Amino acid sequence: MGSGYVLVTGATSGIGEALARILLTAGVPVVACGRNRKQLDSIIKFGKGIAIPYLYDLMDTGCLERHFATFLQAHNVEIRGFVHCAGVYPIVPIRMMSDADAHKVMDVNLFSAMALLSAMMKKRVNHGMLESVVMVSSTSSIRGTQGMTAYCASKAAIEGFVRAAAVELAPHVRINAVRPGAIPTEGGRALSEGAQDMLTHPRDYGYLLGNGSIDDVVSMIRYLLSDQARWITGQCFTVDGGLSAH
């Protein structure tokens, strides 16, 4: 990839935080987006790369495109890579799900990425610098999970969006998705006793290669950001230790 920054959403935890830290260690400039100021401050001091914090709650999608465009212009920053790791995953049965619950999941998991991408595609804002986009999906997009209908729907929507956006943005911008299985993160451990048991005994749940790690997912994301993936767009790459091979 050329010059410019990589925007990482969800940069204060899980896959997003690990990715931001690895990029900074490699000397890659990063715009780290998150809601937690203390965590963002910790990340921007990490590694050899230049990091700029973007403090924003991605549930507020109505103002996001304009706010982010103003941020880029105020900091004289151009984005060459965009990785959308931010996500929320409430456990809410259908009979108890409110309209607000459903909108919160879709806003953070999909619509915020669409707003950010819209801002970056404006030449007066990002000057045609964007080259590669990676959206983090989940095996929940193809495997139903009880109590997580909105989350599963949002991840399936991400994959549909990637295919359509690839057609629209080619040949100048590549966009792909990564579909991780269950990996040990703070969020994964907090989901339920069943989720915790799955992480403790992964082969019992169909993970042929046992437990994966955040690094396994980050490695795929970095590949898709790189020029090594220059002829790949509109695809979703599964990183699930063999779960979906069954």
Side-chain angles (χ1 to χ4, degrees):
M1 297 180 69
S3 61
Y5 285 70
V6 175
L7 168 65
V8 179
T9 65
T12 56
S13 64
I15 294 169
E17 180 179 2
L19 175 64
R21 291 181 181 275
I22 288 172
L23 291 174
L24 289 170
T25 298
V28 177
V30 170
V31 172
C33 173
R35 294 183 298 172
N36 187 314
R37 181 76 211 202
K38 185 177 180 181
Q39 282 290 97
L40 284 178
D41 288 342
S42 172
I43 290 165
I44 64 174
K45 297 173 183 176
F46 188 86
K48 300 181 292 183
I50 300 170
I52 299 175
Y54 180 52
L55 186 67
Y56 196 91
D57 187 341
L58 295 180
M59 282 189 285
D60 182 8
T61 57
C63 300
L64 179 54
E65 180 180 341
R66 183 175 67 254
H67 190 276
F68 188 61
T70 301
F71 169 86
L72 292 181
Q73 292 170 327
H75 288 82
N76 194 27
V77 165
E78 294 171 330
I79 304 295
R80 64 185 171 101
F82 169 33
V83 185
H84 186 57
C85 301
V88 292
Y89 27 81
I91 300 176
V92 183
I94 292 174
R95 68 182 184 278
M96 299 176 63
M97 184 182 300
S98 68
D99 185 64
D101 290 331
H103 278 278
K104 175 182 177 180
V105 175
M106 294 301 297
D107 284 343
V108 175
N109 295 8
L110 175 63
F111 296 146
S112 63
M114 294 172 68
L116 290 166
L117 185 56
S118 180
M120 285 181 275
M121 290 307 298
K122 291 180 169 56
K123 288 189 177 181
R124 63 178 175 79
V125 175
N126 202 42
H127 309 110
M129 283 290 293
L130 189 64
E131 298 175 358
S132 181
V133 178
V134 181
M135 304 274 286
V136 176
S137 181
S138 166
T139 51
S140 293
S141 67
I142 57 173
R143 296 172 64 91
T145 305
Q146 186 174 359
M148 299 186 71
T149 51
Y151 176 77
C152 294
S154 73
K155 294 302 184 178
I158 281 175
E159 295 177 21
F161 171 72
V162 163
R163 289 188 291 272
V167 176
E168 183 174 332
L169 301 180
H172 303 295
V173 179
R174 298 181 295 105
I175 178 167
N176 294 286
V178 174
R179 183 193 287 149
I183 54 174
T185 64
E186 291 180 11
R189 294 188 184 96
L191 283 178
S192 65
E193 289 185 11
Q196 294 172 32
D197 187 60
M198 180 168 56
L199 295 174
T200 306
H201 305 98
R203 288 184 180 84
D204 293 345
Y205 289 84
Y207 286 90
L208 305 179
L209 301 181
N211 262 335
S213 71
I214 288 177
D215 287 343
D216 294 319
V217 181
V218 168
S219 295
M220 178 60 76
I221 293 172
R222 292 190 68 192
Y223 168 71
L224 292 172
L225 283 175
S226 75
D227 290 338
Q228 290 179 300
R230 67 175 189 83
W231 211 47
I232 300 172
T233 195
Q235 305 303 309
C236 183
F237 292 84
T238 302
V239 183
D240 71 353
L243 175 68
S244 56
H246 291 281

